[in-house]
Amino acid sequence: MSVAAPASAASTDPPSASAAAPPRERPWRAHLTVALIALGLAVYVTNGLWRDPYQHVLSDNVGDQAWFEWLLAYGVHFLTTGSDPYFAEMMNAPLGVNLAANTSITVYTVLFAPLTHLAGPQVSFVTILTLNLAGSAFAWYLFLRRWLVRSPFAAGLAGLFCGFAPGFISHANGHLNWTAGWIAPLVLWRVLKLREPGRWLRNGLILGLLLAMGFSIAPEGLFYTALACGVFLGVWSLARPVRDEAREALPTVLRALGVTAVVAGSLLAYPLYMHFAGPLTFTGTGFNQRYFVEDTAAYLSYPSRSVAALFGFGSDLGPNRTEETSYFGVPLLLLLGVALRLLWQRADPGRRATLRAVAVTGLFFLVLSWGPRLNWGGVELDIMLPYAVLAHLPLFDSALPLRFALALVGVFGILLALLVEQMLDRRVTPVTMQIWLGAGIVVSLLPIFPLPVRHQERAPEPDFIANGTWQRYVSDNGVLTALPFALNVHADGQRWQAYTMARGGPQFRIPDGYFLGPQTHSEDGLKLTGRIGAPPRPTDWLFTRAALYGYVAQLTNADRAQARLDLQYWGVETVFLADQITGSDHKILFREAVEATAIDLFGEPERVDDVLVWRIRPGVDPVDR
């Protein structure tokens, strides 16, 4: 079957029993079944958050959940105030944050703004996370059934694998961008449609709109998808059996791509400008590309949130539990190797062109995921890899190499769907081979069946914030900060500001925050790689150190003088400390140390509602002693 021909069309593959007569069941029954199973699995994976979305938080990634909740709330804010959707002044006072240089999920923030306003960003977050997982599985099912297989069971099984593969379960720990795996099959679908004669304008327009939407949700994932399309179609088009077919389709495809470029370019002109040349942007990424690589042994291992991990077979080769991007296990890799060989042996020349392109695409992303140097078993080897050359190129310099492994999920899903369909069509002989392959599928998929993402309790929103009492202590749009200052490892202040933005009405700004920004706020910042959060100042580090390590510094008047400068720079009018503060991964923050440091620095606090409050006179407080 040609890669550009739908599975329901005439095929150059040998005829099969299932192809002799169309099935009696209507497609919508299979569609509904897969959709319900996918939704059920997604709710199962996220059930810890659903049980209490206001008090539960992802314990493996408190910071990213706070970030995306903040973005969802900012969507309500910019829709009601007319603020810039790609630059926010509400965080990192007095400078703000370039959201285009981060992951802004603008489409989600707009679409879910009513829910965010009515129920809070906590509910919107878990809703989007659940729909992302379910939608990814369903989108892959539709793509596979439309273009590659006729069997709804084969497409459904492979689609569920793609939607709930270990890498995407890992990213369910806080990433609303990376769990949007439904973008890839939709883009692939529309790319394959570009060759339709007489519909180049329509298809180019649809693809352009889809790319603009995908960029606003998951720009890095869209880059990987575009890269996969380029590699796959390039290899496929050069195959002798389909070379004439590809040459014939080329003019139509180029016209459609021209329309796509105009549509996507028009819609993305401003966000692209902000991303690459806007204020407070930076070069590359804020993460170490030699650290965030996929260990070769990780492909043979099992993830921490899987059935295999229940029996002690989980691995900790990833940089953290949010980046376990491969972890397929030895049985699945062996099964897919056998599947590729069997499919190749039984394929006609046209299908072999497709299989070759799929295999080369998988190999391409496999090597990229290893990063600039090969790692094995947690040890970096002195073996240079191709990514060392690519790492300094635009786009590649912003990517984390280990995430290229996510593209292999689609490759493996395609092979799995093709294998299962051949088994169902009884085209795999002898019968013993069918039995062995069936057992192999069970042994391969059962160990990586996902466990629910971990969660923990988080500090409730203080009445001081929820009841609006804070408005008596801060001018409209003034600067208010919780202690410790908001950061990924203690993000309460950022969360509480988000809840206020979601409700609407008077607002306050915060210093610092969890985001990606430049290393310096001078012109050199654009040329340097990014960093997590704002460049630290002595005063915010004072409270971070107290919260994380329980360290209470012996303060001097020199420290108070520095605090006056820092607080005046931020424009802070009031500081408060809640009765509870939240750490990550079930870690307890040292609230007593934070309180002791604050009293030593600012003096005795005022008890207001359920928080301790210190008023700050810019340039005056804290006073020397």
Side-chain angles (χ1 to χ4, degrees), residues 118-341:
L118 293 174
Q122 309 95 314
V123 174
S124 290
F125 175 86
V126 66
T127 300
I128 296 171
L129 181 60
T130 304
L131 293 177
N132 269 348
L133 293 172
S136 299
F138 188 64
W140 274 110
Y141 155 76
L142 291 176
F143 171 79
L144 292 169
R145 191 170 183 194
R146 174 66 172 81
W147 292 102
L148 287 164
V149 296
R150 291 177 290 273
S151 166
F153 179 81
L157 180 64
L160 291 171
F161 163 77
C162 290
F164 296 92
F168 289 101
I169 296 301
S170 174
H171 279 287
N173 285 300
H175 289 168
L176 296 188
N177 52 341
W178 280 108
T179 52
W182 53 267
I183 293 175
L186 289 188
V187 170
L188 295 174
W189 189 318
R190 299 314 309 181
V191 168
L192 294 181
K193 294 277 284 183
L194 293 180
R195 64 171 296 174
E196 286 185 334
R199 294 189 175 182
W200 57 270
L201 180 61
R202 173 178 176 269
N203 289 330
L205 175 63
I206 294 174
L207 180 60
L209 293 173
L210 182 59
L211 293 182
M213 178 180 65
F215 179 87
S216 78
I217 296 174
E220 192 176 347
L222 188 64
F223 168 53
Y224 294 178
T225 304
L227 201 58
C229 288
V231 174
F232 175 86
L233 292 177
V235 174
W236 179 83
S237 300
L238 294 175
R240 188 178 305 239
V242 298
R243 196 175 300 165
D244 292 339
E245 184 183 347
R247 187 182 297 113
E248 181 182 354
L250 184 60
T252 301
V253 172
L254 290 178
R255 283 195 292 269
L257 286 177
V259 175
T260 298
V262 171
V263 173
S266 300
L267 294 173
L268 295 176
Y270 180 64
L272 285 173
Y273 160 74
M274 289 293 291
H275 179 87
F276 291 105
L280 299 181
T281 191
F282 49 89
T283 298
T285 179
F287 300 93
N288 186 343
Q289 289 186 316
R290 287 182 62 173
Y291 178 72
F292 286 90
V293 299
E294 196 69 347
D295 194 299
T296 309
Y299 280 92
L300 311 176
S301 306
Y302 290 118
S304 59
R305 302 306 297 164
S306 65
V307 169
L310 288 178
F311 297 92
F313 294 103
S315 172
D316 59 355
L317 290 172
N320 56 57
R321 290 187 173 181
T322 310
E323 300 290 351
E324 296 176 351
T325 50
S326 61
Y327 293 80
F328 298 109
V330 173
L332 181 58
L333 296 181
L334 291 177
L335 173 71
L336 294 173
V338 171
L340 182 59
R341 180 170 181 176

